Amino acid sequence: MFGDLSGMMGKLKEAQQRIEDTKARLKTILIDAEAGDGKIKVTVTADRTVKNIAISNELTDKEEIEDYLVIALNKALEKANTISESELAAAAKEGMPNIPGMDLL
């Protein structure tokens, strides 16, 4: 019985390490999004950190810049969230030990 428990604990530690490794990798995945026909471009990481914002010189209206910026950031953050959730779920599921009743994940 204790051998099984020890094996499960080892698998849980492996799963935790996979999750931590995935979190570190998410910081390196860059996601680009744009708005206003490319007049505003943003880059975020998959862990939702804004890395760059580029605003075309064509844009001079403050409200237009603000609107396009919100659109582009929301697009990028939505993509980042999807990637992050997918990657973390895969890392967690891959390393989980076979525990009866836990196959619902």
Side-chain angles (χ1 to χ4, degrees), residues 29-91:
I29 298 172
L30 298 178
I31 298 157
D32 297 316
E34 61 181 52
D37 295 323
K39 293 177 184 165
I40 295 232
K41 296 178 182 178
V42 298
T43 303
V44 301
T45 62
D47 76 335
R48 298 172 210 88
T49 300
V50 176
K51 288 296 194 177
N52 189 52
I53 297 173
I55 301 172
S56 168
N57 289 333
E58 294 175 41
L59 290 176
T60 56
D61 180 77
K62 181 180 183 279
E63 286 183 27
E64 189 176 31
I65 292 170
E66 290 170 347
D67 289 344
Y68 286 152
L69 193 52
V70 168
I71 291 167
L73 283 169
N74 282 331
K75 283 181 184 179
L77 293 174
E78 183 178 327
K79 289 178 189 176
N81 193 49
T82 299
I83 290 169
S84 178
E85 286 179 0
S86 174
E87 294 286 324
L88 289 173

Side-chain angles (χ1 to χ4, degrees), residues 9 15 18 24 42 65 95 98:
M9 293 303 291
R18 277 191 187 95
V42 298
I65 292 170
N98 187 14

